[in-house]
Structure formats: C-alpha cells, structure tokens
Amino acid sequence: MPSRSAPRRARRVRMTGAERREQLIAVARGLFADKGIDGTSVEEIAAVAEVSKPVVYEHFGGKDALYAVVVDREVTTLLDGIGAALATEGRSREVLERATLAFLEYVEGHTEGFRILARGSAAGEYATLLGDVASRVERVLRTEFQRRDLDPRTAQPYAQALVGMVAMTGQWWLDNSRWGRKPEVAAHLVNLAWNGLRGLEPRPTLASRR
C-alpha cells in the first residue's frame, strides 16, 4: 500500500519591492478601515501580509507613515474624481449631478478608503479635502449666481452647505446602502440642492426676525 506523502506547503511567491509595498498598503487599508489606526498594530499588518515586522518598517518606517500614505492616496482619488466632474463643460445642474455621482461612486467603490477618511484620525484631512471641494463648487456657483443677478459673494456659504449635504448623506448611505441605489440617492440630493438654488431670494432674511 503506497504511503501517503505529507502535503506540500504552497511556495510563497516572491514579490518585487514595489509589489510588496502595494500589498502592505492594501492590507493596512483594510485594517485601518476596520479598526482605525489606534486599533491596528504593525504586528497585525505584518501577520496578515505574511511578512516579518522589519519588512513593514523597511518600506514605511512605521505605522504612522504607512497610515499617511493610505490617507494621501484616498484623498487624491476622491479629489481627482470630483475635480474631473466639476471641470467638465455643461449646464450647472449637469455639473452638480456629475459631482454628486462622483462622490457617491467613491463611497461605493472605495468603501474602505471612505471609512478611513470620514472617521478617526483622518478626520482632519477629510475636512481639508471637503474645503477644497467646496472651493471648486463655489466657482461653479459664482457663475450661476452672476447669471441670475445674485450676489456672487454669497456663493461661498452655499457651496459649503452643498458639499456638507452630499458628504453627510454619503456617510449615511454607506451604512444604509439598502435604502436605494446610487443614481436614486444622487437624484434626491440634486433635487433638494437644485430646486433650493433655483428659488433663492436675492436678500434672504429670517422669518422670525421680519
């Protein structure tokens, strides 16, 4: 009767330095999204990546530096998507629709990254990112306000309000994705934003102060 040989362990695939770096970033992104930076250790990152701790330190110098790389990549990805939508030609409503969809597409396609940005230690970078997006939206609104003989200086708070509305809804949708699909959520956001903008008063006052 032939003897059974012991099962062979799968030979670990050797990676180039660049491939290993990308692997560590992907592993860390998942752990940071799930546990946050404080709940994640270098030991855990190394264990999931099946490398030794020194390998992590060799590529990034430590957990904080690795976290910074992950956050920077996510900021760039989100800003590039929304920036491209805002830079395209079209009517103001169409631009608003594309920018809203771009934000929700990031939430849907980069869930781990969005969780990292919107929560925990990356909240400061996220606030700065939203401020940058609001500045770009403001430029679009200024043009629309001038066309409607509205004071273009007031575009700034409206831009902040629009970006905040989309950002907060995106975070809610991430936890309540069964509520509706991305185009449906975007349509409701644009419905509120556009119809609100369309009915703006030139000199609004508080009803309780009239």
Side-chain angles (χ1 to χ4, degrees):
M1 183 175 181
S3 60
R4 292 184 179 181
S5 58
R8 294 183 179 180
R9 297 184 62 182
R11 183 175 297 178
R12 192 174 296 174
V13 179
R14 295 184 60 84
M15 295 185 182
T16 65
E19 290 171 339
R20 179 65 71 189
R21 179 181 174 86
E22 292 303 315
Q23 182 217 19
L24 291 172
I25 291 173
V27 167
R29 182 190 295 111
L31 291 171
F32 290 146
D34 185 41
K35 300 183 175 184
I37 184 173
D38 294 332
T40 302
S41 66
V42 172
E43 289 86 351
E44 190 172 12
I45 294 170
V48 175
E50 297 184 338
V51 298
S52 63
K53 283 173 57 178
V55 172
V56 180
Y57 287 114
E58 176 186 348
H59 282 276
F60 298 99
K63 181 177 69 173
D64 289 344
L66 176 51
Y67 184 78
V69 170
V70 171
V71 169
D72 183 66
R73 284 197 175 191
E74 295 305 322
V75 167
T76 299
T77 299
L78 178 54
L79 196 57
D80 285 351
I82 296 177
L86 291 172
T88 54
E89 297 293 330
R91 296 179 179 179
S92 296
R93 174 163 183 160
E94 294 171 346
V95 174
L96 180 61
E97 288 178 354
R98 285 195 292 266
T100 301
L101 279 170
F103 191 96
L104 295 180
E105 282 168 2
Y106 173 81
V107 172
E108 183 179 58
H110 299 264
T111 301
E112 292 179 343
F114 183 70
R115 288 190 186 280
I116 293 171
L117 291 182
R119 303 168 184 173
S121 301
E125 290 87 346
Y126 185 55
T128 301
L129 167 67
L130 294 183
D132 193 339
V133 173
S135 296
R136 300 184 186 206
V137 172
E138 180 186 345
R139 291 195 287 270
V140 175
L141 291 184
R142 278 180 175 269
T143 301
E144 185 67 20
F145 280 22
Q146 289 172 337
R147 188 179 69 83
R148 298 186 181 193
D149 294 326
L150 296 171
D151 185 354
R153 294 176 301 174
T154 63
Q156 188 171 13
Y158 287 104
Q160 294 287 336
L162 287 174
V163 172
M165 179 179 70
V166 175
M168 288 299 295
T169 304
Q171 191 164 342
W172 165 83
W173 183 54
L174 180 61
D175 297 323
N176 298 272
S177 57
R178 292 184 179 180
W179 182 89
R181 297 169 65 89
K182 176 177 55 187
E184 184 181 3
V185 176
H188 283 290
L189 283 168
V190 174
N191 182 38
L192 175 60
W194 184 254
N195 287 314
L197 290 171
R198 192 167 57 178
L200 289 182
E201 300 173 349
R203 294 179 178 82
T205 58
L206 297 175
S208 59
R209 298 281 181 96
R210 291 175 184 171

